[in-house]
Structures are given as structure tokens and as C-alpha cells.
Amino acid sequence: MGFEIRQTQKLDQSIALTPQLKKSLEILQKPSLELHEFLSEELRTNPLIEDMSGEYENIPEQIGENPDVENDSSESEENASDREEENRKRDFMLNSLPDKISLREHLLNESKLDAENADTAEAFEFLISFMDERGFLPSDAQSKLEDSGFSPESARAAIKLLRDSDPPGIGASDMRDSLMLQLERKGMGDSLPYRILDRDYELLMRRKVSEIADLENTTPAEVESAIAQIAKLNTSPAKDFSREDPRFIKPDIAFKLDDSGEWTAELTNEYIPRLRINPDYRRLLADGKLRESEETYIREKIREGKFLMDAIEQRQNTL
């Protein structure tokens, strides 16, 4: 049987997603709060973009349209005031973002660095969905992982990785287990507080100091000191992280009933800043005194800024 080489043509319709088109589609799909975070990051990384929302509505955009001033000193004071106000608005936007990340985000960031392989990382991501609001796991966590298709080795490795993660005490089966984990992380695995938790927990819960002292061959004063150390441990390791629920949702469109009884739809625009390119950089380009590398950088940032503003406008028009 012989082989024959042929050359054929095939017509195929497809859309090539350029980086710009992909970014534009991402902006289109983002809800307002996510878009707010995205734009905050763009303001942080592109010094040529300004937020003109609110107080900036009357600032002239064209070169040479600055209001007349009486003298250089007055102009300098006015520019300083404008810069201070601009910095205040930018700081307000950046500071409006949540200061805390969720425990899930924190743990996933850790697992990316510390997971021994992809299977462990995947099992770890599945495992943290079992945790309660304090950061504790159910006693059958390993069985749940294995029932979900993970090998016993991956399940054990994921649980160990979680118990070794920060904050100390995370991934425990209960409060007692969590307190013991925290002491282990402090290098106190052989200490009196650890032994009390390990061997005398029921007596500790009833605060039977004398009985604990007899069992541990120590004095009531030492037991009281050990209890005081235990009391300083964290009973809820997850408490310092933001909770993922409730998730606040801000609608992009508001429906209102007007005086005539007709329903109308309006864009809220509450989290959509009005952006522009800083005119000072346009002046620098117009002066022609920049080095080639500086001019290239500014032109690139202007191009990025214009694309961003066009994408936001397209999103709002589409909505």
C-alpha cells in the first residue's frame, strides 16, 4: 500500500483574541466592585491616568487651557493644591479596597509555594472548603478527600500542609487540637501546658487544678501558670481574616418607578471613575525635550490609558 502526500485548503471561521480584545472582554464582564478593584490597580501602575470623578469635572483637558493666574507664586500654590487633592482622591480609592484577604485566599497563596506536587495542591484546595468559620476541619476530612477521588497519600499530605500553615492552629479537628498545634509551633510540645491539654483536658475544662497538679507531679501554682499560657492561645485561628460571606453586591443597573408609573433603567456608575490622561505628560511630549526612552514610555502609557478608557466606555454603552 503506497502513501500519497496531498496539499489541501480548509476554510475555518474563528476569532483571534488579541491581548487588547481579551482585556476588553474581561472589563465588559466584570461587575462594578471587581471593576473598581481593577481600575484601582490600573491607577496604581499607570502614572499617566487620573481619576476626574467629582471635583475634577471642570479641569480643562486640552493643552494651553489652564486658567489665567496673577503670578508665578499663585500658580505654584494652585498646582500644589491640585496635586494634594489629586493624591487625596487616589489614596481614598486605594484605601477603599478591603485591608484583609479571606482565609481561603491566604491559604491558597501558601499552598502555591509549599505544596510538594500538583496532586497535593489540588487536594489542599479541595480540603479548605471543608473548614468551618474557626478554621477547623471535620474529623472525617481525609475520608472526604478520598471519596472525592484523591489518593490517601495526597489526602494526608494536604492535611499536613494545612496543619503546618499559618495562622498556627489552622486545620485542627477541634479547639483542643488547635491549642496543641499552636504550642507545637512555639516549640512547647513537651511543656506543662501541652501535657495538660493532651492528658488532662477534661480536668482542665472543670478547672480541677489540684487534681491536675497531682497527676503531673507539680504544684497548683505551676498549673495555674500553665493555664494562663493556654488562655493566651487563639481559640479561633480564622478570626483575623475577612469572611467571604456575606458577599456584598452592587448592581450596575438600577430600576426606578417614575412619577408617571413607568419603570426606567439607569446605570449606577457609582464605582466607575471618570478617567483622563494627565495633561502634564502631554506637555512633556509637546515640548520635545525628552530622551527617546522616556518618550517611548510615555507614549506607551498614553496608549494603554486610552485603550482602558475606551474599554470602560464600551462596557457602559453595552450595558
Side-chain angles (χ1 to χ4, degrees):
M1 179 178 180
F3 292 93
E4 182 179 0
I5 299 176
R6 292 183 179 179
Q7 185 175 14
T8 61
Q9 289 183 330
K10 180 181 179 182
L11 182 61
D12 185 20
Q13 285 187 322
S14 62
I15 298 177
L17 288 180
T18 65
Q20 291 83 0
L21 180 56
K22 184 178 180 181
K23 191 171 185 178
S24 181
L25 290 174
E26 289 176 355
I27 291 174
L28 176 62
Q29 296 176 64
K30 287 182 183 294
S32 57
L33 290 179
E34 287 186 19
L35 184 60
H36 172 75
E37 288 189 39
F38 173 80
L39 294 178
S40 297
E41 180 63 24
E42 292 294 321
L43 284 168
R44 186 184 294 118
T45 58
N46 190 338
L48 276 66
I49 305 176
E50 291 182 335
D51 176 12
M52 292 180 59
S53 305
E55 295 90 336
Y56 291 90
E57 289 183 354
N58 297 322
I59 294 180
E61 297 189 22
Q62 300 300 323
I63 298 175
E65 291 184 0
N66 287 328
D68 295 333
V69 293
E70 294 182 0
N71 52 55
D72 293 340
S73 175
S74 174
E75 181 179 2
S76 176
E77 291 177 7
E78 191 169 316
N79 288 339
S81 177
D82 288 345
R83 285 195 297 272
E84 183 178 350
E85 182 63 18
E86 178 183 337
N87 290 335
R88 184 191 68 78
K89 281 190 65 64
R90 183 169 294 194
D91 288 343
F92 175 79
M93 171 168 274
L94 297 180
N95 292 335
S96 297
L97 297 177
D99 291 332
K100 296 180 180 180
I101 64 172
S102 70
L103 180 60
R104 175 183 172 81
E105 292 171 317
H106 166 75
L107 292 172
L108 287 178
N109 289 337
E110 282 203 0
S111 72
K112 290 176 183 177
L113 298 175
D114 299 331
E116 57 188 26
N117 53 52
D119 289 340
T120 299
E122 186 177 355
F124 183 91
E125 184 173 358
F126 207 89
L127 176 68
I128 59 179
S129 65
F130 300 153
M131 291 192 307
D132 64 18
E133 61 182 9
R134 295 179 298 173
F136 298 162
L137 288 174
S139 57
D140 60 346
Q142 180 166 338
S143 297
K144 286 187 173 183
L145 283 177
E146 294 178 20
D147 291 342
S148 301
F150 296 101
S151 68
E153 293 77 18
S154 294
R156 286 192 294 268
I159 292 173
K160 183 180 186 304
L161 178 58
L162 180 58
R163 290 171 66 87
D164 289 342
S165 296
D166 288 323
I170 207 76
S173 57
D174 53 32
M175 187 175 70
R176 174 191 183 188
D177 186 28
S178 178
L179 296 175
M180 293 172 67
L181 277 177
Q182 293 174 57
L183 289 173
E184 289 175 358
R185 294 285 287 275
K186 291 175 176 286
M188 298 175 63
D190 294 325
S191 66
L192 179 58
Y194 187 92
R195 294 199 304 273
I196 291 174
L197 288 169
D198 186 27
R199 304 189 299 207
D200 312 309
Y201 190 69
E202 294 300 326
L203 294 175
L204 173 64
M205 291 296 97
R206 291 183 286 152
R207 205 173 180 84
K208 298 292 185 178
V209 175
S210 297
E211 293 183 36
I212 295 174
D214 290 339
L215 289 171
E216 298 299 334
N217 194 26
T218 187
T219 65
E222 289 292 330
V223 173
E224 290 285 4
S225 177
I227 292 175
Q229 293 180 65
I230 293 173
K232 293 179 181 179
L233 300 175
N234 195 344
T235 58
S236 180
K239 71 177 182 180
D240 291 330
F241 291 84
S242 66
R243 296 188 58 179
E244 294 186 346
D245 292 315
R247 296 181 63 89
F248 295 98
I249 299 174
K250 180 65 181 179
D252 289 289
I253 300 174
F255 294 89
K256 297 180 180 180
L257 189 65
D258 61 22
D259 295 336
S260 64
E262 297 290 332
W263 285 97
T264 61
E266 298 177 359
L267 287 174
T268 57
N269 288 327
E270 182 175 348
Y271 289 91
I272 312 299
R274 197 158 70 87
L275 305 179
R276 74 163 183 176
I277 303 297
N278 188 316
D280 291 337
Y281 290 96
R282 295 183 184 273
R283 294 190 191 95
L284 288 174
L285 285 178
D287 290 342
K289 298 179 181 179
L290 297 172
R291 293 193 296 268
E292 183 178 354
S293 60
E294 295 171 335
E295 182 175 334
T296 300
Y297 173 81
I298 290 177
R299 290 190 183 280
E300 176 63 24
K301 290 299 180 182
I302 287 177
R303 186 160 49 248
E304 291 176 3
K306 285 182 175 179
F307 169 79
L308 179 65
M309 289 183 283
D310 289 343
I312 294 172
E313 182 179 3
Q314 180 63 39
R315 174 191 185 273
Q316 298 306 92
N317 289 339
T318 302
L319 290 177

